[in-house]
Amino acid sequence: MEQKQYVIVRLDQEIYGVDIQQVQVIERLSRITRVPQAPTFIKGVINLRGDIIPVMSLRDKLNMGVDDYTNDTRIIIVKTKKNVMGLIVDEVKEVMDLDTSDMENVHEFSSKINSEYIKALGKVDGDIVVILNVSGLVDNN
């Protein structure tokens, strides 16, 4: 059995996991500067300690409706082999260890789920955690 750590986040009423090895930092929602003619899911850019980072709405990218910014809203800065991107989430809940034996690949679960954005489905205490494919979300824009 192999365990990996995930940052567990909430979007609407659903729970998602982001591989902690791709997470650089988690920030409170700050001023986002809009960029003309950017795709609708790109909300703009932020200045993070001198670095300009594009920010994506996960809700828009996953067709989950309009963002509802609250005091719990966070921007997770993730890094892939190609990009650094901020992901807007409704709430960061915790860091969790998930056993690979408790996960199912998406193609084994359903052909209707876009496996480009979803890596696996994890089972935790009777709940399902959708493990996001961060590279698929960030690098294929």
Side-chain angles (χ1 to χ4, degrees), residues 32-87:
I32 299 173
T33 302
R34 299 180 79 183
V35 177
Q37 300 189 0
T40 57
F41 56 86
I42 299 295
K43 295 304 176 189
V45 295
I46 60 171
N47 182 347
L48 184 64
R49 295 179 269 287
D51 292 328
I52 303 300
I53 311 272
V55 176
M56 170 193 297
S57 165
L58 270 183
R59 279 177 170 255
D60 277 355
K61 185 73 173 184
L62 299 174
N63 295 318
M64 296 180 68
V66 178
D67 288 299
D68 183 23
Y69 299 144
T70 70
N71 284 337
D72 293 329
T73 303
R74 296 290 184 269
I75 298 174
I76 299 177
I77 309 299
V78 295
K79 183 176 184 179
T80 67
K81 290 180 181 176
K82 296 180 182 176
N83 296 299
V84 175
M85 176 85 69
L87 306 176

Coordinates of all heavy atoms in Angstrom, one line a residue, residues 32-87:
I32 N -7.6 40.5 -7.8 CA -7.3 39.8 -9.0 C -7.5 40.9 -10.1 O -8.5 41.5 -10.3 CB -8.2 38.6 -9.3 CG1 -8.0 37.6 -8.2 CG2 -8.0 38.0 -10.7 CD1 -9.1 36.5 -8.2
T33 N -6.4 41.1 -10.9 CA -6.4 42.0 -12.0 C -6.9 41.3 -13.3 O -6.3 40.3 -13.7 CB -5.0 42.6 -12.3 OG1 -4.6 43.3 -11.1 CG2 -5.1 43.6 -13.4
R34 N -8.0 41.7 -13.9 CA -8.5 41.0 -15.0 C -7.6 41.2 -16.2 O -6.9 42.3 -16.4 CB -9.9 41.6 -15.3 CG -10.9 41.3 -14.2 CD -12.2 41.9 -14.4 NE -12.9 40.9 -15.3 CZ -14.1 41.0 -15.8 NH1 -14.8 42.1 -15.5 NH2 -14.6 40.1 -16.6
V35 N -7.6 40.2 -17.1 CA -6.8 40.3 -18.3 C -7.8 40.2 -19.5 O -8.5 39.3 -19.6 CB -5.8 39.1 -18.4 CG1 -5.0 39.1 -19.7 CG2 -4.9 39.1 -17.2
P36 N -7.7 41.3 -20.4 CA -8.7 41.3 -21.5 C -8.5 40.1 -22.4 O -7.4 39.6 -22.6 CB -8.3 42.6 -22.3 CG -7.5 43.4 -21.3 CD -6.9 42.4 -20.3
Q37 N -9.6 39.5 -22.9 CA -9.7 38.4 -23.8 C -9.2 37.1 -23.3 O -8.9 36.2 -24.1 CB -9.1 38.8 -25.1 CG -9.7 40.0 -25.8 CD -9.2 40.3 -27.2 OE1 -8.4 39.6 -27.7 NE2 -9.8 41.3 -27.8
A38 N -9.0 37.0 -22.0 CA -8.6 35.7 -21.4 C -9.9 34.8 -21.4 O -11.0 35.3 -21.4 CB -8.2 35.9 -20.0
P39 N -9.7 33.5 -21.4 CA -10.8 32.6 -21.3 C -11.6 32.9 -20.0 O -11.1 33.4 -19.0 CB -10.2 31.2 -21.2 CG -8.8 31.4 -21.7 CD -8.4 32.8 -21.5
T40 N -12.9 32.6 -20.0 CA -13.8 33.0 -18.9 C -13.3 32.4 -17.6 O -13.5 32.9 -16.5 CB -15.2 32.6 -19.2 OG1 -15.3 31.2 -19.4 CG2 -15.8 33.4 -20.3
F41 N -12.7 31.2 -17.6 CA -12.3 30.5 -16.4 C -11.0 31.1 -15.9 O -10.6 30.9 -14.7 CB -12.2 29.0 -16.6 CG -11.2 28.6 -17.7 CD1 -9.9 28.5 -17.5 CD2 -11.7 28.3 -19.0 CE1 -9.0 28.1 -18.5 CE2 -10.9 28.0 -20.0 CZ -9.5 27.8 -19.7
I42 N -10.3 31.9 -16.6 CA -9.1 32.7 -16.1 C -9.6 34.0 -15.6 O -10.1 34.9 -16.4 CB -8.1 32.9 -17.2 CG1 -7.5 31.5 -17.8 CG2 -6.9 33.7 -16.7 CD1 -6.8 30.7 -16.7
K43 N -9.6 34.2 -14.3 CA -10.2 35.3 -13.7 C -9.2 36.5 -13.7 O -9.6 37.7 -13.4 CB -10.6 35.0 -12.2 CG -11.7 34.0 -12.1 CD -12.9 34.5 -12.9 CE -14.0 33.5 -13.0 NZ -15.1 33.9 -13.9
G44 N -8.0 36.3 -14.0 CA -7.0 37.4 -14.1 C -5.7 36.9 -13.6 O -5.3 35.8 -13.6
V45 N -4.9 37.9 -13.0 CA -3.6 37.6 -12.4 C -3.5 38.3 -11.1 O -4.2 39.2 -10.8 CB -2.5 38.1 -13.4 CG1 -2.5 37.4 -14.7 CG2 -2.6 39.6 -13.6
I46 N -2.6 37.7 -10.2 CA -2.3 38.3 -8.9 C -0.8 38.5 -8.9 O 0.0 37.9 -9.6 CB -2.8 37.4 -7.8 CG1 -2.1 36.0 -7.8 CG2 -4.3 37.3 -7.7 CD1 -2.3 35.2 -6.5
N47 N -0.5 39.5 -8.0 CA 1.0 39.7 -7.8 C 1.3 39.1 -6.4 O 0.9 39.5 -5.4 CB 1.2 41.3 -7.7 CG 2.7 41.6 -7.4 OD1 3.5 40.7 -7.1 ND2 3.0 42.8 -7.6
L48 N 2.0 38.0 -6.5 CA 2.3 37.2 -5.3 C 3.8 37.4 -5.0 O 4.7 36.8 -5.7 CB 2.0 35.7 -5.5 CG 2.2 34.8 -4.3 CD1 1.3 35.2 -3.2 CD2 2.0 33.4 -4.7
R49 N 4.1 38.3 -4.1 CA 5.5 38.6 -3.7 C 6.4 38.8 -4.9 O 7.5 38.3 -5.0 CB 6.0 37.4 -2.8 CG 5.3 37.3 -1.5 CD 5.8 36.2 -0.7 NE 5.1 34.9 -0.8 CZ 3.9 34.6 -0.4 NH1 3.2 35.5 0.2 NH2 3.4 33.4 -0.7
G50 N 5.8 39.6 -5.9 CA 6.6 40.0 -7.0 C 6.4 39.2 -8.3 O 6.9 39.6 -9.3
D51 N 5.8 38.0 -8.1 CA 5.6 37.1 -9.3 C 4.1 37.3 -9.7 O 3.2 37.3 -8.9 CB 5.8 35.7 -8.9 CG 7.2 35.3 -8.6 OD1 8.1 36.0 -9.2 OD2 7.5 34.5 -7.8
I52 N 4.0 37.5 -11.0 CA 2.6 37.6 -11.6 C 2.1 36.2 -11.9 O 2.7 35.4 -12.7 CB 2.7 38.4 -12.9 CG1 3.2 39.8 -12.6 CG2 1.3 38.5 -13.5 CD1 2.5 40.6 -11.6
I53 N 1.0 35.8 -11.3 CA 0.5 34.4 -11.3 C -0.9 34.5 -11.9 O -1.8 35.2 -11.4 CB 0.4 33.8 -9.9 CG1 1.7 33.9 -9.2 CG2 -0.1 32.3 -10.0 CD1 2.7 32.9 -9.4
P54 N -1.2 33.8 -13.0 CA -2.6 33.7 -13.5 C -3.4 32.9 -12.5 O -3.0 32.0 -11.9 CB -2.5 33.0 -14.9 CG -1.1 32.3 -14.8 CD -0.3 33.0 -13.8
V55 N -4.7 33.3 -12.5 CA -5.6 32.7 -11.5 C -6.8 32.1 -12.3 O -7.5 32.8 -13.1 CB -6.1 33.7 -10.4 CG1 -7.1 33.0 -9.5 CG2 -4.9 34.2 -9.7
M56 N -7.1 30.8 -12.0 CA -8.2 30.1 -12.7 C -9.4 29.8 -11.7 O -9.1 29.5 -10.5 CB -7.7 28.8 -13.2 CG -8.8 27.8 -13.7 SD -8.2 26.2 -14.0 CE -6.9 26.4 -15.3
S57 N -10.6 30.0 -12.1 CA -11.7 29.6 -11.4 C -12.0 28.1 -11.6 O -12.3 27.7 -12.7 CB -13.0 30.4 -11.7 OG -14.1 29.7 -11.2
L58 N -11.8 27.3 -10.6 CA -12.1 25.8 -10.8 C -13.5 25.6 -11.1 O -13.9 24.7 -11.8 CB -11.6 25.0 -9.5 CG -10.2 24.5 -9.5 CD1 -10.0 23.7 -8.3 CD2 -9.9 23.7 -10.8
R59 N -14.4 26.4 -10.4 CA -15.8 26.2 -10.7 C -16.1 26.4 -12.2 O -16.9 25.7 -12.8 CB -16.6 27.3 -9.9 CG -16.9 26.9 -8.4 CD -17.6 28.0 -7.7 NE -18.1 27.6 -6.4 CZ -19.4 27.3 -6.2 NH1 -20.3 27.4 -7.1 NH2 -19.7 26.9 -5.0
D60 N -15.6 27.5 -12.8 CA -15.8 27.7 -14.2 C -15.2 26.6 -15.0 O -15.8 26.1 -16.0 CB -15.2 29.0 -14.6 CG -16.1 30.2 -14.4 OD1 -17.2 30.0 -13.9 OD2 -15.6 31.4 -14.6
K61 N -14.0 26.2 -14.7 CA -13.3 25.2 -15.5 C -14.1 23.8 -15.5 O -14.1 23.1 -16.5 CB -11.9 25.0 -15.0 CG -11.0 24.1 -15.8 CD -10.6 24.6 -17.1 CE -9.6 23.7 -17.8 NZ -9.1 24.3 -19.0
L62 N -14.7 23.5 -14.3 CA -15.4 22.3 -14.2 C -16.9 22.4 -14.4 O -17.6 21.5 -14.0 CB -15.1 21.7 -12.8 CG -13.6 21.4 -12.5 CD1 -13.5 21.0 -11.0 CD2 -13.1 20.3 -13.4
N63 N -17.3 23.5 -14.9 CA -18.7 23.8 -15.2 C -19.6 23.6 -14.0 O -20.6 23.0 -14.0 CB -19.2 22.9 -16.3 CG -18.5 23.2 -17.6 OD1 -18.3 24.3 -18.0 ND2 -18.2 22.1 -18.4
M64 N -19.2 24.3 -12.9 CA -19.9 24.2 -11.6 C -20.6 25.5 -11.2 O -21.0 25.6 -10.1 CB -19.0 23.7 -10.5 CG -18.4 22.3 -10.7 SD -17.3 21.8 -9.4 CE -18.5 21.7 -8.0
G65 N -20.7 26.4 -12.1 CA -21.4 27.6 -11.8 C -20.4 28.8 -11.4 O -19.2 28.7 -11.5
V66 N -21.1 29.8 -11.0 CA -20.4 31.1 -10.7 C -19.7 31.0 -9.3 O -20.2 30.4 -8.4 CB -21.4 32.3 -10.7 CG1 -20.7 33.6 -10.3 CG2 -22.0 32.4 -12.0
D67 N -18.5 31.6 -9.2 CA -17.8 31.6 -7.9 C -18.6 32.5 -6.9 O -19.2 33.5 -7.3 CB -16.4 32.3 -8.1 CG -15.5 31.4 -8.8 OD1 -15.2 30.3 -8.3 OD2 -15.0 31.8 -9.8
D68 N -18.6 32.0 -5.7 CA -19.2 32.7 -4.6 C -18.2 33.0 -3.5 O -17.9 32.2 -2.7 CB -20.4 31.9 -4.0 CG -21.1 32.6 -2.9 OD1 -21.1 33.9 -2.9 OD2 -21.7 32.0 -2.1
Y69 N -17.5 34.2 -3.6 CA -16.4 34.5 -2.8 C -16.8 34.7 -1.3 O -17.8 35.5 -1.1 CB -15.6 35.7 -3.3 CG -15.0 35.5 -4.7 CD1 -15.0 36.5 -5.6 CD2 -14.5 34.2 -5.1 CE1 -14.4 36.4 -6.8 CE2 -14.0 34.1 -6.4 CZ -13.9 35.1 -7.2 OH -13.4 35.0 -8.5
T70 N -16.2 34.0 -0.4 CA -16.5 34.2 1.1 C -15.2 34.4 1.8 O -14.1 34.3 1.2 CB -17.3 33.0 1.6 OG1 -16.4 31.9 1.7 CG2 -18.5 32.7 0.8
N71 N -15.2 34.5 3.1 CA -14.0 34.5 3.9 C -13.2 33.2 3.8 O -12.0 33.2 4.1 CB -14.3 34.8 5.4 CG -14.6 36.3 5.6 OD1 -14.2 37.1 4.8 ND2 -15.4 36.6 6.6
D72 N -13.9 32.1 3.4 CA -13.2 30.8 3.3 C -12.6 30.6 1.9 O -11.8 29.7 1.8 CB -14.2 29.7 3.5 CG -14.7 29.6 5.0 OD1 -13.9 30.0 5.9 OD2 -15.8 29.2 5.2
T73 N -12.9 31.5 1.0 CA -12.3 31.3 -0.4 C -10.8 31.4 -0.3 O -10.2 32.3 0.3 CB -12.9 32.4 -1.3 OG1 -14.3 32.3 -1.3 CG2 -12.4 32.2 -2.7
R74 N -10.1 30.5 -1.1 CA -8.7 30.5 -1.1 C -8.2 30.4 -2.5 O -8.9 29.9 -3.4 CB -8.1 29.4 -0.3 CG -8.4 29.5 1.2 CD -7.6 30.6 1.9 NE -7.8 30.6 3.3 CZ -8.8 31.3 3.9 NH1 -9.6 32.0 3.2 NH2 -8.9 31.3 5.2
I75 N -6.9 30.8 -2.7 CA -6.2 30.5 -4.0 C -5.1 29.6 -3.7 O -4.2 29.9 -2.9 CB -5.7 31.8 -4.6 CG1 -6.8 32.8 -4.9 CG2 -4.9 31.5 -5.9 CD1 -6.4 34.2 -5.4
I76 N -5.1 28.4 -4.3 CA -4.1 27.4 -4.2 C -3.1 27.6 -5.4 O -3.5 27.5 -6.5 CB -4.6 26.0 -4.2 CG1 -5.6 25.8 -3.1 CG2 -3.5 25.0 -4.1 CD1 -6.2 24.4 -3.1
I77 N -1.9 28.0 -5.1 CA -0.9 28.1 -6.1 C -0.3 26.8 -6.4 O 0.3 26.1 -5.5 CB 0.2 29.1 -5.7 CG1 -0.4 30.4 -5.2 CG2 1.2 29.3 -6.9 CD1 -1.2 31.2 -6.2
V78 N -0.4 26.3 -7.6 CA 0.1 25.0 -8.0 C 1.1 25.1 -9.1 O 1.1 26.1 -9.8 CB -1.1 24.0 -8.5 CG1 -2.0 23.7 -7.4 CG2 -1.8 24.6 -9.7
K79 N 2.0 24.1 -9.1 CA 3.1 24.2 -10.1 C 3.1 22.8 -10.9 O 3.1 21.8 -10.2 CB 4.4 24.4 -9.5 CG 5.6 24.5 -10.5 CD 6.9 24.9 -9.8 CE 8.0 25.1 -10.9 NZ 9.2 25.4 -10.3
T80 N 3.1 22.9 -12.2 CA 3.2 21.7 -13.0 C 4.6 21.8 -13.7 O 5.3 22.8 -13.5 CB 2.1 21.6 -14.1 OG1 2.2 22.7 -15.0 CG2 0.7 21.7 -13.4
K81 N 4.8 20.9 -14.6 CA 6.1 20.9 -15.4 C 6.1 22.2 -16.3 O 7.2 22.7 -16.6 CB 6.3 19.7 -16.2 CG 6.6 18.5 -15.3 CD 6.8 17.2 -16.2 CE 7.0 16.0 -15.3 NZ 7.1 14.8 -16.0
K82 N 4.9 22.6 -16.7 CA 4.9 23.7 -17.7 C 4.5 25.1 -17.1 O 4.9 26.1 -17.6 CB 3.8 23.4 -18.8 CG 4.2 22.2 -19.6 CD 3.1 22.0 -20.6 CE 3.3 20.8 -21.5 NZ 2.2 20.6 -22.4
N83 N 3.7 25.1 -16.0 CA 3.1 26.4 -15.6 C 3.0 26.5 -14.0 O 3.0 25.5 -13.3 CB 1.6 26.5 -16.1 CG 1.5 26.5 -17.6 OD1 2.1 27.5 -18.2 ND2 0.9 25.6 -18.2
V84 N 2.8 27.7 -13.6 CA 2.4 28.0 -12.2 C 1.0 28.7 -12.4 O 0.9 29.6 -13.2 CB 3.4 28.9 -11.5 CG1 2.9 29.3 -10.1 CG2 4.8 28.2 -11.4
M85 N 0.1 28.3 -11.6 CA -1.3 28.8 -11.7 C -1.9 28.9 -10.3 O -1.7 28.0 -9.5 CB -2.1 27.9 -12.6 CG -3.6 28.2 -12.8 SD -3.9 29.5 -14.1 CE -3.5 28.6 -15.5
G86 N -2.8 29.9 -10.1 CA -3.6 29.9 -8.9 C -5.0 29.3 -9.2 O -5.6 29.6 -10.2
L87 N -5.5 28.4 -8.3 CA -6.8 27.8 -8.4 C -7.7 28.3 -7.3 O -7.4 28.2 -6.2 CB -6.7 26.3 -8.3 CG -5.7 25.6 -9.3 CD1 -5.6 24.1 -8.9 CD2 -6.0 25.8 -10.7

